[in-house]
Amino acid sequence: MSQLLTYVLLGLPYGCIYALIALGLVLTYKSSRVFNLAFGAQAYVSAVVFYVAVRSGHWPIWAAGLVSIVVVGPLLGLLLDRLLFRHIRVAATVVKLGAAIGLLLGIPEITQVIVGTQPQDNPPSLFLPPSWVFKLAGTRVNGTEVSTVLAAAIVVVGLWVLFRFSTLGLEMRAVSESPRMVELVGVNSGEVSSVAWMLSSLLAGLAGVLLAPLFATLDSYNFTLLLIAAIAAAALGGLASFPWTVLGAVAIGVAQEVMTGYLPLNSVLASGLRPALPFVVLILALLFHPGLRSSQDEGDPLASCDPPPLRAVPVKAHREHLIDLSLPSLFTPLVVALAIGSCLTWVPQIWVGVITVGLTYATILLSLTVLTGMGGQISLCQATFAGIGAFAAGQLATHLGLGFIEGLAIGAVLAGVLGLLLALPALRLGGLALALGTLAFALLADNLLFPLSWVGNGQSGVYVPRPQIGPISFAGTRSFFLLVLAVLVICGVAIALLRKGTTGRFLAAMGGSEVAAGAIGINVHWAKMTAFVVSAVIAGIGGAMYGSYQGAVGADNFNTLISLLYLVLVVTFGVKTVAGAVNAGLAYAVLDHLLASAPSRFGGLAALLFGMGAVAFALHPQGLADLFTARWKDQLDRLRHPWHGRETVEVS
Amino acid sequence: MIDVGASRLSEVEKASSHGSAALCFSNVSASYGPYRALFSVSFSVPAGSVVALLGANGAGKSTVARVATGLVPVTGGHVFFHGTDITGWSAWRIARLGLVHAPEGRSVFATLTVEENLELDFVKSAGRHRADQAVERAYGFFPRLKERRRQLAGTLSGGEQRMLSLARVLSVPPKMLIVDELTFGLSPGIAAEVFSSLRALKDQGCTLLVVEQHVHQALAIAERAVVLAHGSIAYEGPISEMGDLAERLLGGKTAS
């Protein structure tokens, strides 16, 4: 009994931190309808500022705490709200998520560019030091743990009072329903939602600073993982209820410690299941919490005041010719042919390699073109599918002596089966819930599946051979480039055909509205499963090609952050078109290679740039590349057809 | 379409400068993104009067209401409220001037209780203590709301939700009220109750702009009418001079 109590006491501080982050998440979600995945990154920023102020600046603890939590935290929240999130309140879910993920990847990189990459060991504590220890019911409790629990308790009570009794709390609740209707009673809703953002960011800062001493080193990935535990707690509260969120957070924190205590040491269960518990809770909550599945959004009755969303491509003023032999339309194919020819002849091997990697990325990204671009389903676990393909090809070659091509085929089928398995629960989910569910799935795979020696073999990785088809070997850089290109073209053409055919129309209808698609007789479940399976197969193929290029791949090549990066990449360059995926893959590979030789603090700049790209995309949802293409085409059209004025639409 | 000539324009300017008009639109255009909804609309609502805003579906009635209260931005022209140029003001500033808009459809906060809805309405204008008195007065008009004070407003029936919207304006009458399809979807009995509430407001000197599908009832309470067709003014003037325009509207045809 006393042993159980010990574990409960040990888990309580973690639970309280989860609660702080989860409360902040729910607060911003309610006030601005944005699920702020960058929340962990915000906590990380405050923790770093606190660390630098205390350890490098030798500030007194109270001053450092004040600046990092009360100044930097809310300021960051205010900036995010004013510059980004308030402008995308009514945007599509993929846009909002893309922006938040862009920040999740970008903010830690900016922080590293500013403060450098030297490890921040042994973070200081805010209130009581960990050396201060006393005994509570036979358990040693240190100062950090006590101050964490106390701070969380104060915050929870404060928030409860604010929302229950104050005018500001009432206004925040009203803004969460309809900012416009709040304006109609004379309340400045922009100000109210800014306050909500500052308040929630203050919580993020507090959580970050409180949390830091619980780790040996500050690492943004730890903060992001905590965010997932907090998301699980928020999901238990239906993304709406504060009390249930707090209870859920504490329960998850305590359950983790209790599990650690009672599970056998050094078993896979203990090492894998403890960190994975929040992800399991998140998946279960998403599947069985009625308020999350059906949109609990009451809907803004004044939503029709917003202008309709912009079209990705302007309405065509004239019909396109079936075969266009004019010079401008031959421009792109000529450039592509020239580039391929160059890669096969004079381009240095190292750059051919970079382009090859870019093409394998492009193949993986095509899986998102099918799933998100065509079907409107958001997945944050594409790297998991890619990993399955790569690991299968590698393991089959190593242990069974199968050729690469056979391994690739089996890997693609396995990824497809996994996609089908994931699609079954996904049938119940949509929009944000689906995105969070796939995120939890990817993290689950990171923790439980990929470390296994017969799957990803953890950090040591898996050897993946270069392909050999009959007598032809593709071991050389240029010949392998050609094979990767061929695979990409096959996948791209398959997607183009799929889009043109009945299935593509079904997917497009589902992407527009699942209810409307169902109403005209489309089997939405079947369409969703098709999208998931096709997408998983393509990701598996792309992953195997990537693995084969690298020679050896491990769990780190396909972890959740990579999945997030994929979504950001493809969202930035256009999720609807094959060209968008190809451009995104190539651009990332080239940028990554160019930055590899830069000083280490700029190492993550590629992720930063694409993160910012996703943010820019959120503000201009046509997609940057698609937008430029559309403009370019528009200019060409005007040159070629000067008599076609641009039509302006006038509707009374 | 009746010509909106220079003569009316000068009349509009005169009205706004003399301050006898509560609300005055002067060549107002508005659009939703690339879609234009209002084309240089000019009309005025004399202070203390009741004006019916009529027109077919999609003629721009709701857009006029939304532009007046700052929910939809003006892309051309000017809007005056009691002589103040409120063009480009945000909605909350206009609301604090005393121009209240009861929007189309659900116009209560579904996730707040009845009492919280009323509090939210009064706190900014009256302060916390006076707000409590205003809430009590609101319950006086519709005792049924008091029975349901702890209930979430989203669980009220359509009629009760309209009572809640009306209770707030009856309790603290604004300078001017714009009601958009307030009786839409209500039973005839409750619709009659809503109209008698509007009459009570009128008797207290509140200026009213009424957007209505029930043309007969709207015309019975109003002195003047503004008719919109395809985003432009088709008629503005006393109801007695409308002629058969009202009949044509009832017949479902637009005046053009």
Side-chain angles (χ1 to χ4, degrees):
Chain A
M1 186 61 213
S2 76
Q3 207 185 0
L4 181 67
L5 191 68
T6 307
Y7 295 132
V8 169
L9 284 176
L10 283 176
L12 212 53
Y14 283 99
C16 287
I17 302 261
Y18 296 160
L20 285 179
I21 302 180
L23 283 175
L25 268 180
V26 174
L27 192 59
T28 45
Y29 182 69
K30 283 177 82 164
S31 72
S32 55
R33 292 280 155 226
V34 171
F35 201 77
N36 184 12
L37 282 172
F39 213 71
Q42 283 179 259
Y44 171 70
V45 168
S46 284
V48 168
V49 169
F50 184 69
Y51 181 92
V52 171
V54 172
R55 288 276 189 263
S56 312
H58 301 291
W59 291 21
I61 293 278
W62 63 267
L66 207 65
V67 168
S68 59
I69 298 170
V70 186
V71 179
V72 171
L75 207 62
L76 191 58
L78 187 67
L79 279 178
L80 293 183
D81 173 43
R82 290 280 157 139
L83 297 181
L84 175 63
F85 285 122
R86 76 168 42 186
H87 305 290
I88 58 172
R89 182 187 169 97
V90 293
T93 310
V94 64
V95 174
K96 295 193 223 179
L97 270 177
I101 294 172
L103 290 171
L104 165 98
L105 298 172
I107 288 179
E109 302 299 344
I110 296 181
T111 317
Q112 290 206 340
V113 168
I114 296 171
V115 304
T117 47
Q118 67 276 17
Q120 281 130 354
D121 294 329
N122 193 13
S125 30
L126 181 61
F127 298 118
L128 303 166
S131 53
W132 185 86
V133 175
F134 78 104
K135 283 207 160 203
L136 184 70
T139 309
R140 288 162 58 85
V141 183
N142 71 33
T144 311
E145 290 164 353
V146 172
S147 47
T148 304
V149 174
L150 282 180
I154 292 169
V155 165
V156 168
V157 171
L159 275 184
W160 180 72
V161 170
L162 177 75
F163 274 86
R164 192 77 203 205
F165 299 108
S166 81
T167 308
L168 181 66
L170 183 63
E171 287 170 1
M172 282 193 208
R173 281 153 61 202
V175 165
S176 81
E177 192 178 328
S178 165
R180 285 214 173 77
M181 253 165 52
V182 174
E183 297 245 312
L184 285 183
V185 298
V187 176
N188 185 346
S189 66
E191 231 165 60
V192 172
S193 83
S194 283
V195 170
W197 268 93
M198 289 164 72
L199 193 62
S200 80
S201 304
L202 185 109
L203 295 185
L206 181 64
V209 172
L210 284 175
L211 184 69
L214 300 176
F215 294 117
T217 307
L218 285 184
D219 178 2
S220 65
Y221 187 63
N222 284 336
F223 287 82
T224 303
L225 282 185
L226 283 170
L227 177 76
I228 311 296
I231 292 176
L236 286 176
L239 296 184
S241 155
F242 287 122
W244 281 107
T245 300
V246 172
L247 277 180
V250 171
I252 291 173
V254 168
Q256 274 185 314
E257 285 304 319
V258 171
M259 271 173 64
T260 316
Y262 287 100
L263 285 175
L265 280 175
N266 299 326
S267 66
V268 181
L269 277 180
S271 62
L273 206 55
R274 179 185 179 278
L277 176 74
F279 320 142
V280 178
V281 172
L282 177 55
I283 292 177
L284 292 178
L286 288 169
L287 286 178
F288 297 109
H289 197 303
L292 285 172
R293 273 185 289 118
S294 61
S295 164
Q296 91 286 18
D297 198 345
E298 277 288 341
D300 185 345
L302 288 172
S304 61
C305 287
D306 291 302
L310 292 164
R311 275 169 182 275
V313 182
V315 186
K316 290 250 167 36
H318 59 90
R319 195 191 291 172
E320 275 183 51
H321 300 286
L322 208 58
I323 299 168
D324 193 346
L325 287 176
S326 62
L327 206 60
S329 65
L330 286 178
F331 181 70
T332 318
L334 278 177
V335 169
V336 170
L338 211 61
I340 294 171
S342 306
C343 280
L344 290 174
T345 48
W346 60 269
V347 172
Q349 298 257 350
I350 185 151
W351 277 102
V352 177
V354 170
I355 291 169
T356 308
V357 172
L359 294 179
T360 60
Y361 283 140
T363 313
I364 300 174
L365 294 181
L366 278 180
S367 68
L368 280 168
T369 310
V370 176
L371 193 60
T372 311
M374 290 164 69
Q377 311 292 315
I378 305 167
S379 158
L380 301 180
C381 63
Q382 293 309 104
T384 310
F385 294 134
I388 294 295
F391 296 146
Q395 297 280 14
L396 288 173
T398 313
H399 293 117
L400 297 181
L402 280 184
F404 172 77
I405 298 297
E406 291 90 336
L408 176 137
I410 294 174
V413 170
L414 283 177
V417 169
L418 198 67
L420 187 65
L421 284 180
L422 186 67
L424 292 176
L427 292 178
R428 301 176 66 141
L429 308 174
L432 178 66
L434 179 61
L436 293 179
T438 51
L439 178 67
F441 173 74
L443 286 160
L444 217 52
D446 279 1
N447 277 283
L448 294 179
L449 200 58
F450 286 177
L452 300 175
S453 63
W454 53 273
V455 185
N457 203 13
Q459 303 293 328
S460 5
V462 178
Y463 165 75
V464 189
R466 285 285 170 93
Q468 169 104 28
I469 303 178
I472 315 160
S473 162
F474 289 93
T477 312
R478 292 191 207 277
S479 55
F480 187 63
F481 160 79
L482 210 56
L483 183 69
V484 168
L485 185 68
V487 169
L488 175 65
V489 168
I490 291 170
C491 290
V493 168
I495 289 174
L497 289 177
L498 186 74
R499 190 203 302 273
K500 288 229 164 82
T502 317
T503 311
R505 305 276 187 229
F506 282 3
L507 291 183
M510 179 179 72
S513 159
E514 286 186 25
V515 177
I520 59 168
I522 293 171
N523 186 341
V524 176
H525 286 186
W526 182 84
K528 217 179 216 181
M529 287 196 293
T530 312
F532 263 95
V533 171
V534 171
S535 153
V537 166
I538 292 175
I541 293 173
M545 298 307 287
Y546 174 77
S548 176
Y549 174 77
Q550 297 291 356
V553 280
D556 282 351
N557 294 89
F558 300 106
N559 68 24
T560 308
L561 285 182
I562 305 289
S563 286
L564 297 179
L565 183 67
Y566 286 161
L567 186 81
V568 164
L569 284 178
V570 79
V571 150
T572 308
F573 277 84
V575 73
K576 299 256 182 209
T577 57
V578 173
V582 175
N583 290 340
L586 286 175
Y588 180 70
V590 169
L591 204 60
D592 203 40
H593 179 71
L594 287 177
L595 288 169
S597 50
S600 67
R601 69 162 57 179
F602 297 111
L605 215 58
L608 169 65
L609 285 176
F610 280 103
M612 293 305 107
V615 171
F617 163 78
L619 297 170
H620 304 280
Q622 299 98 320
L624 296 182
D626 283 356
L627 174 69
F628 289 133
T629 331
R631 286 216 180 130
W632 163 241
K633 278 196 176 144
D634 207 40
Q635 294 290 339
L636 280 179
D637 283 350
R638 260 191 252 181
L639 285 176
R640 286 193 292 183
H641 309 275
W643 56 90
H644 282 292
R646 280 192 77 185
E647 284 178 22
T648 53
V649 194
E650 290 192 352
V651 175
S652 58
Chain B
M1 196 175 291
I2 294 163
D3 183 34
V4 187
S7 60
R8 244 258 302 290
L9 198 63
S10 65
E11 186 190 308
V12 161
E13 277 167 0
K14 212 164 47 188
S16 65
S17 63
H18 288 172
S20 66
L23 181 72
C24 173
F25 271 46
S26 166
N27 293 316
V28 171
S29 299
S31 47
Y32 297 92
Y35 305 102
R36 281 189 74 178
L38 295 183
F39 298 83
S40 193
V41 166
S42 299
F43 69 92
S44 61
V45 179
S49 70
V50 179
V51 174
L53 184 57
L54 308 173
N57 266 345
K61 303 185 299 280
S62 289
T63 310
V64 165
R66 287 164 174 186
V67 164
T69 42
L71 289 175
V72 168
V74 177
T75 51
H78 290 272
V79 182
F80 299 92
F81 181 62
H82 283 289
T84 313
D85 188 350
I86 56 169
T87 317
W89 284 30
S90 40
W92 62 273
R93 281 183 73 198
I94 295 175
R96 287 195 194 176
L97 278 185
L99 173 51
V100 169
H101 176 193
E104 196 179 355
R106 179 166 61 82
S107 60
V108 297
F109 292 98
T111 52
L112 303 184
T113 64
V114 169
E115 185 142 305
E116 285 169 340
N117 262 284
L118 289 169
E119 268 176 30
L120 189 70
D121 288 334
F122 299 129
V123 159
K124 267 288 175 276
S125 52
R128 213 150 228 279
H129 176 64
R130 301 241 316 276
D132 290 343
Q133 296 175 347
V135 170
E136 281 307 316
R137 230 180 10 255
Y139 289 145
F141 290 104
F142 299 106
R144 200 178 330 165
L145 292 178
K146 186 161 189 172
E147 293 166 23
R148 316 202 158 196
R149 58 197 294 173
R150 302 250 171 264
Q151 202 172 319
L152 290 184
T155 62
L156 298 178
S157 73
E160 288 163 341
Q161 290 192 8
R162 301 309 149 88
M163 284 180 197
L164 186 50
S165 327
L166 278 173
R168 99 188 229 218
V169 284
L170 287 170
S171 176
V172 182
K175 279 190 195 147
M176 177 170 177
L177 174 66
I178 301 177
V179 289
D180 195 351
E181 304 287 4
L182 207 54
T183 59
F184 184 78
L186 296 187
S187 70
I190 297 177
E193 208 175 317
V194 167
F195 272 103
S196 72
S197 299
L198 291 182
R199 259 189 212 97
L201 272 172
K202 175 192 176 183
D203 294 341
Q204 293 183 46
C206 176
T207 312
L208 284 171
L209 181 63
V210 184
V211 181
E212 260 305 332
Q213 294 269 321
H214 294 217
V215 178
H216 277 307
Q217 277 166 304
L219 291 180
I221 170 176
E223 297 125 25
R224 294 170 66 84
V226 173
V227 180
L228 281 168
H230 303 301
S232 302
I233 299 282
Y235 174 83
E236 185 203 354
I239 282 168
S240 52
E241 292 169 21
M242 267 178 86
D244 66 340
L245 197 55
E247 294 305 319
R248 284 202 279 149
L249 277 174
L250 286 171
K253 289 180 204 144
T254 55
S256 55

